[in-house]
Amino acid sequence: MPEQLIFAMEVTLNGLMAGVLYALVALGFVLIYKASGIFNYAQGVMALFAAMTLVGIMNGQVPFAHLINAVFGGHITHFGWMIPSFLAVILTVAVMVLLAWLVQVLVMKHLVGQEPIILFMATIGLAYFLEGVADLMWGSEIKTLDVGIPQGINLWIDETTYNIFGYGFFIDNLDIVATVVAALLVTGLVIFAQYTKQGRAMRAVADDHQAALSVGISLNFIWVLVWSVAGFVALVAGIMWGTKSGVQFSLSLIALKALPVLMLGGFTSIPGAIVGGLIIGVGEKLFEFAIGPMVGGATENWFAYVLALLFLVFRPQGLFGEKIIERV
């Protein structure tokens, strides 16, 4: 088998796995948009906040230590203990649930009935607020996140690579783990949405707020639930991206990479977020592989957005989104 074909297979597989990471971020957008019609610009910052909180809890770091020392003149930085990864993840989930409740009570509850642009601007303000709070709580330096996920080139076949027909075939262990985790997460979300009482209530709220209220569904509870689930998804995405490239403020920019994914898959479809992520991941890798050398490279920076623009022109609702028809 030609070496070029093997390399194309490797690029495709790595593109699929990168697409899974994009889809993880897009899932948070979809969940909140389905339940409340809000495009949550803060989803990327939520992933950053969750990852920084996880690192801080694992390392026993004192929250707001810099601020406390500046005000009271102390020199505290850590509690003096380390917390196991599993327990730290559970505590971080609790923090994200608390954050969801605070967002609903302090922000979204007071904006019910406002125009979508008002709600969108509120999430932009929330994004910058969370970024500042994360900086104050845990510091702005780049952090290493290690929760025990294997990383590096896979060593199952020989000491360096997979070996297919005598050619090297590189696969990152972290990408494999991310793929499995994403598959389990999507399966769990679909089961939750389809077969649980809370999931059915969430879908009812997404269809019609007034009808949901009339049958006794609490909008406040559902919105806290949705923001909590989105926070959990952000934590999973933050763990994967933070493990891959370190926990730093550029992590919040992964939200921008999720936008083309949403445009392709549709803003209201959980399967669409996954399919859109896979298309973007594979498309940008193969385009860079085939066309990049002809145009000087760096096509991964813009390929996804050009593809999303084409979808906006010819199919604005995306592959799985619902076509909205308004009668006037």
Side-chain angles (χ1 to χ4, degrees):
M1 187 175 291
E3 185 176 358
Q4 283 292 99
L5 182 56
I6 291 292
F7 188 43
M9 290 172 57
E10 177 187 332
V11 169
T12 301
L13 185 56
N14 281 283
L16 286 171
M17 294 180 176
V20 167
L21 293 176
Y22 297 153
L24 279 176
V25 182
L27 278 174
F29 286 98
V30 170
L31 289 169
I32 292 179
Y33 190 83
K34 276 178 67 69
S36 59
I38 299 172
F39 179 79
N40 179 27
Y41 183 84
Q43 187 66 29
V45 180
M46 288 172 63
L48 169 67
F49 181 84
M52 292 183 71
T53 301
L54 177 60
V55 173
I57 292 175
M58 287 177 61
N59 294 336
Q61 188 175 345
V62 178
F64 301 104
H66 295 294
L67 184 61
I68 293 172
N69 292 335
V71 173
F72 298 102
H75 299 283
I76 60 171
T77 56
H78 293 78
F79 290 110
W81 62 68
M82 302 288 286
I83 295 180
S85 301
F86 180 73
L87 179 57
V89 169
I90 293 176
L91 292 175
T92 305
V93 170
V95 171
M96 299 308 291
V97 171
L98 175 62
L99 174 64
W101 180 79
L102 289 174
V103 167
Q104 172 58 24
V105 170
L106 299 179
V107 181
M108 296 305 168
K109 181 179 179 180
H110 302 286
L111 297 177
V112 173
Q114 296 294 327
E115 294 293 326
I117 186 62
I118 301 295
L119 298 173
F120 174 64
M121 293 302 293
T123 64
I124 293 178
L126 178 63
Y128 285 103
F129 175 78
L130 280 180
E131 192 169 318
V133 169
D135 191 1
L136 285 174
M137 286 183 70
W138 309 113
S140 58
E141 66 276 5
I142 298 175
K143 299 172 176 61
T144 301
L145 177 58
D146 183 8
V147 294
I149 299 176
Q151 300 180 61
I153 301 303
N154 200 291
L155 307 179
W156 294 349
I157 303 301
D158 57 36
E159 292 184 355
T160 56
T161 65
Y162 278 110
N163 194 301
I164 297 179
F165 299 102
Y167 295 101
F169 199 74
F170 293 87
I171 301 176
D172 194 316
N173 280 306
L174 177 61
D175 291 335
I176 296 175
V177 173
T179 302
V180 173
V181 169
L184 293 174
L185 183 60
V186 172
T187 302
L189 288 174
V190 170
I191 292 173
F192 171 76
Q194 296 291 335
Y195 300 107
T196 67
K197 180 180 178 181
Q198 291 78 13
R200 290 192 294 269
M202 187 179 72
R203 287 189 289 130
V205 170
D207 290 337
D208 191 318
H209 291 178
Q210 296 301 323
L213 279 172
S214 68
V215 296
I217 296 175
S218 170
L219 293 185
N220 284 332
F221 171 76
I222 293 301
W223 285 336
V224 169
L225 174 64
V226 169
W227 279 81
S228 298
V229 175
F232 176 73
V233 172
L235 171 60
V236 175
I239 290 174
M240 297 304 168
W241 281 100
T243 302
K244 189 180 185 72
S245 57
V247 179
Q248 51 190 313
F249 279 87
S250 62
L251 183 63
S252 62
L253 299 179
I254 59 175
L256 299 179
K257 202 67 174 185
L259 294 180
V261 174
L262 294 168
M263 293 173 190
L264 263 67
F267 280 82
T268 60
S269 173
I270 292 176
I274 299 300
V275 174
L278 296 179
I279 292 174
I280 293 293
V282 173
E284 67 180 16
K285 297 293 184 184
L286 285 178
F287 193 84
E288 176 69 26
F289 168 67
I291 308 297
M294 303 178 189
V295 296
T299 61
E300 290 187 42
N301 295 330
W302 53 262
F303 171 82
Y305 299 97
V306 173
L307 183 60
L309 179 60
L310 293 175
F311 265 77
L312 287 176
V313 173
F314 296 104
R315 189 177 173 83
Q317 72 270 27
L319 292 173
F320 295 86
E322 300 174 358
K323 190 173 184 178
I324 299 174
I325 300 176
E326 294 185 359
R327 302 183 186 278
V328 295

